[in-house]
Amino acid sequence: MRNEPRGVTRWRRSAFLAVPACTAVAAMATAMVQGALAANLSLTSVPFTLSSKTVAAPQGIGAVMHTIDAGGPKGAAQVGIAKAGLDGICVHATQSVNLPVIGSLGTWSLNISSPAAQTPLTSDQLVAGAGLQANKLILDAQALKAATATLNASDATPNVIGAAADGDGIKATGIKDGAAGQFGLDATGGRTDISNLNADANGATIAGAITLPDLAIAIKHGNTGC
């Protein structure tokens, strides 16, 4: 058996493994040049997780039941946030890569992240403009969890469970798919504070501008998160 010299890179194998990473980075670079990431981030029909340490929504949140097409019709909760301040975010998606002739290259991860502050930001700081800022954030979530969530309201503007899915409050969050007679949550009566948000989703859109401090885009082999 012939021994390869130490310190020599197997360029052919490295090139094969670099193909999916280079393709994904090129596509992301094109999107950034066209302004897609800066103005209208859209992920659809690709399962991914979205997590954030702290979320503050000064205008509250809304949610409706609806159907998504992700490998077949599925029920999902569409959650809308008109304006959100987030202390860090991680979007993590995986995909199996198969190339002609070469065959399977296994699972690869795409991570889009903006790290949380070293000193955790408070909800008041997020509302004032610190951290990541997003407008019209809409999630198509299979599951959404949080360590704690406070949905503030008042007698004049109460939160309503079972609100009309096409109501004005829900529409104000950016949700457009709510229909008359459908079930909705209208929690737009006051600020919503969420800690340790984790959502399993099949779609996300940000219709307005998004500010991402220290944006990082990484391609990793295997199912490896941010």
Side-chain angles (χ1 to χ4, degrees), residues 165-222:
D166 62 341
D168 291 340
I170 291 177
K171 286 182 178 179
T173 67
I175 293 175
K176 300 178 180 179
D177 295 337
Q182 289 184 333
F183 179 93
L185 167 65
D186 185 345
T188 59
R191 189 172 86 187
T192 294
D193 297 324
I194 301 172
S195 65
N196 295 325
L197 173 69
N198 193 293
D200 294 325
N202 281 90
T205 61
I206 297 174
I210 178 173
T211 303
L212 293 162
D214 299 319
L215 171 66
I217 300 171
I219 306 292
K220 298 181 180 180
H221 190 226

Side-chain angles (χ1 to χ4, degrees), residues 78-172:
Q78 190 172 60
V79 181
I81 305 177
K83 181 174 176 58
L86 302 94
D87 188 7
I89 192 173
C90 170
V91 176
H92 169 64
T94 61
Q95 183 173 339
S96 296
V97 177
N98 291 279
L99 297 179
V101 182
I102 298 172
S104 175
L105 294 181
T107 298
W108 290 77
S109 296
L110 169 63
N111 295 324
I112 304 172
S113 63
S114 178
Q118 291 186 351
T119 300
L121 298 172
T122 65
S123 293
D124 288 340
Q125 289 175 312
L126 293 171
V127 169
L132 184 161
Q133 297 292 315
N135 295 292
K136 301 295 184 182
L137 170 60
I138 308 294
L139 283 174
D140 289 333
Q142 295 290 311
L144 192 150
K145 298 179 181 179
T148 60
T150 303
L151 284 64
N152 294 291
S154 67
D155 290 340
T157 54
N159 294 325
V160 180
I161 299 174
D166 62 341
D168 291 340
I170 291 177
K171 286 182 178 179

